[in-house]
Amino acid sequence: MSEDLIAKALAARGQAYAPYSQYQVGAAVRMADGRVGTGSNIENISFGASVCAERVALWTLIHAQGGRWTEMAVATEDGGTPCGECLAVMAEFVSDPEAVVWMVAEDGNRTKFTFKDLMPHAFQSRAPFTQGRTNL
Ligand code: THU
């Protein structure tokens, strides 16, 4: 089941636009309803305008149909973990703290984490949104 996601993350890495860092990242995300989407990092000459692969993948799915994610795979050169900003975005739309995140390195090495492993104390507002597309 996870193999399809890992293969899609590796393929998405090939679509990265990373001329400044030369660090290509691919991400694949599975939603609770079974949809799968992909993304890659897309950099900008104004470096702060660059966006990570995880957010491209997740936001594309959220834009299309809302929902919550259950599993994610991130492919990089060295099996790097998602950055803090991506974890905050992932926290917004995660289905469950036990949702699985695979880190996949170029040499084929895989590391499996739960979302909670990566972000054990995610910020939650005292007045969380109870309306919205993720709750449809
Ligand atoms: N990057 C991602 O796409 N995902 C991450 O989780 C970490 C970093 C990108 C941002 C930038 O384009 C490049 O990797 C180097 O930091």
Side-chain angles (χ1 to χ4, degrees), residues 1 6 18 20-21 24-25 27 31 36 48 66 78-80 85 117 119:
M1 188 68 169
I6 288 169
Y20 308 109
S21 73
Q24 290 86 9
V25 186
M31 303 299 278
V36 170
D78 53 2
E85 280 190 44
D117 291 331
M119 202 183 202

Side-chain angles (χ1 to χ4, degrees), residues 46-103:
S46 177
F47 297 164
S50 301
V51 65
C52 294
E54 295 90 324
R55 278 176 279 164
V56 170
L58 190 51
W59 280 338
T60 301
L61 287 156
I62 297 298
H63 166 71
Q65 237 176 294
R68 292 192 177 274
W69 67 275
T70 57
E71 190 178 12
M72 196 176 286
V74 183
T76 58
E77 186 183 303
D78 53 2
T81 50
C83 78
E85 280 190 44
C86 284
L87 289 172
V89 171
M90 288 158 69
E92 186 82 18
F93 300 110
V94 72
S95 58
D96 186 281
E98 301 297 328
V100 168
V101 185
W102 294 94
M103 255 59 74

Side-chain angles (χ1 to χ4, degrees), residues 8-14 16 24-28 38-41 53-54 73-76:
K8 282 185 159 61
L10 287 165
R13 186 169 174 244
Q24 290 86 9
V25 186
T38 60
S40 64
N41 55 332
E54 295 90 324
V74 183
T76 58

